[in-house]
Amino acid sequence: MNNTTLKTLLLCAGIACSPAVLAAATLIHDVRVFDGKAVHERRSVLFENGVIVDADFRGAAPAGSRVVEGAGRTLLPGLIDAHTHAFAFQELPVLFGVTTQIDMFTDIGMMKTAKDEMAQGRRHDHADLFSAGTLATVPNGHGTQFGIAIPTITKPEQAQAFVDARIAEGSDFIKIVMETGYGFKSLDLPTAKALIEAAHRRGKLAVVHIGNEKDARAMLEAGADGLVHLFPAASADAEGLARLAASRGAFVIPTFTVLESMAGWRGDDLLADPALAALLGKEAQAPLKARFGTSARPDRLAAPKAVTAALVKAGVPVLAGTDAGNPGTQYGVSMHRELAALVDAGLTPTQALAAATSVPAQAFRLGQRGRIDRGYKADLLLVEGNPAADILATRRIVEVWKDGESANGLREQQREQVAQAAREAQAAKPLALPPDGRISQFSEAHLASPFGMGWGPSTDGFVGGKSTVALKAGPALADGQVPLAIAATVAPGLPFAWAGVAFMPGAQPMQAVDLSAAKSVRFRVRGDGKTYQLIALSAGGRIPGAQSFKAGPEWAELTVPLSGLKDVDPAALTMLGFNAGPQPGDYRFEIADVRLLAQ
Ligand SMILES: [Zn+2]
């Protein structure tokens, strides 16, 4: 076999055999290597054309190769985030060394684009994606609340057709949702079991979202290949659960990053690390600053920690996954928190590194990735120091390679863009409020405002809801102020249904405006006695901060401090709103004299 044939074989073994760009060889010289399972104190690794050619290279560097000195550094396989929802910020994972994402539910158009790019060998800039595509849930079940219309399932007899349709769409595995919390409807046990069997009949993995210990046990007994979360409540029997998972050969993805968000608490602040923060613009930072939980309850992490420790002891594969896409997480960067959290939970640093490389590659049958060995994909992460001794060293990134291509150009470009945006933001002055602070300049003809796009109807229609609203101004009150009557009909169907009126302060829809001069919103209201919400959203936020109020029969003046609205940054405000919902029904209320006040 000549050398070219060998290279071609290696190329075809590792990835879909495709006309990959032929990159020059790179030699990482005299470096500590974590190969996905074990640490080798001093090795040299040679890769070419996107594939590792020699994981223990001896001798002189091949002519024309690039040599990277490895002294004091550690080379790792590119990280695999085993639980993401990869619908946004696609540029981020690779910048932070995450070269593969295992997606637990995304838009199938997004999934198809990623798969096309992977097949054509032109996805060097973005992490590879393996995806469940659309998850399996019931009508009004967890997974239906995101505004993407998705097929649902209610009966065991539908399972095979449902699974076959997902496979036809391109799903790599089947994700099943068992979640009875937060007011969601859930699949029943026979249907979930039928889905697992239907997936196995087609040679696909079936993994399950569970929200409590009872469902975790039931799904493991039903033959689930993996649990993609742990539950935040106390565990009755961590050892028993671990023994069950071990006996079934199942794996578990604890997702501490999102459990910490639900606990309203985080073990450490990624944004406090300047090298990480320098790659995250304001919009990318916003999800990291957000939390699911409203108050800090670190005690809620005791159970998932105990279960994780028991899983490790029982020999159950534990996988590092962040649930990125949710408040409190961010793609790529959050993996560095997840790794530290796994170590807090009792994994050794080496076990944690394996949980982010070889273990998910094996559990999800991802082929030649997650290891540093001959013929494996040249997805690599070079860091300063020794993460096998100090897990925080994964954050000291020197260079990332995806398909053998260095991401240092992308990292530099991103750093420059973030710095430039920060300089521009610093130069921009906060918007001066009108002297009286009034943003409602209503007349019977116009819903005018002193700045921005101003006032308009707002409903859940753009996320697939069917709620409606009618706005009508006038007649003027005794003091000359013209009130706005809001007649809303909130339709059933969405857990977060709404209809109302929104004020956009920017010149473009959802453009962020620096309203840091405003400390509170004051307005007058009356109505049918029902409860309404004042909401606000800032740049990068997906879930508005809200304060509820009652609209009684007499006019009342209310003041809401902006600091009381969760995750809202007045320096980057995109929207203010007055909404009816989420309970279905007819609503009638009026607002008048809305002001942004400097105190
Ligand atoms: Zn998830």
Side-chain angles (χ1 to χ4, degrees), residues 397-432:
I397 297 169
V398 176
E399 190 157 356
V400 179
W401 290 267
K402 169 81 196 326
D403 298 314
E405 303 271 331
S406 173
N408 268 15
L410 297 172
R411 282 167 52 82
E412 194 45 54
Q413 199 184 325
Q414 175 84 354
R415 225 177 264 124
E416 186 41 51
Q417 271 173 16
V418 169
Q420 177 66 22
R423 282 192 294 272
E424 280 167 16
Q426 203 141 46
K429 288 200 182 75
L431 193 77

Side-chain angles (χ1 to χ4, degrees), residues 282 428-434 437 439 450-452 503-506 511-521 536-538 562-563 568-576 595-599:
K282 203 178 173 82
K429 288 200 182 75
L431 193 77
L433 300 176
I439 56 171
F451 55 86
F503 169 74
M504 296 215 198
Q511 183 187 344
V513 170
D514 185 348
L515 282 169
S516 53
K519 297 290 177 266
S520 62
V521 186
L537 197 63
S538 51
L562 286 170
S563 61
V568 172
D569 177 7
L573 205 75
T574 55
M575 193 263 292
L576 269 182
R595 302 191 196 208
L596 290 172
L597 299 178
Q599 58 217 322

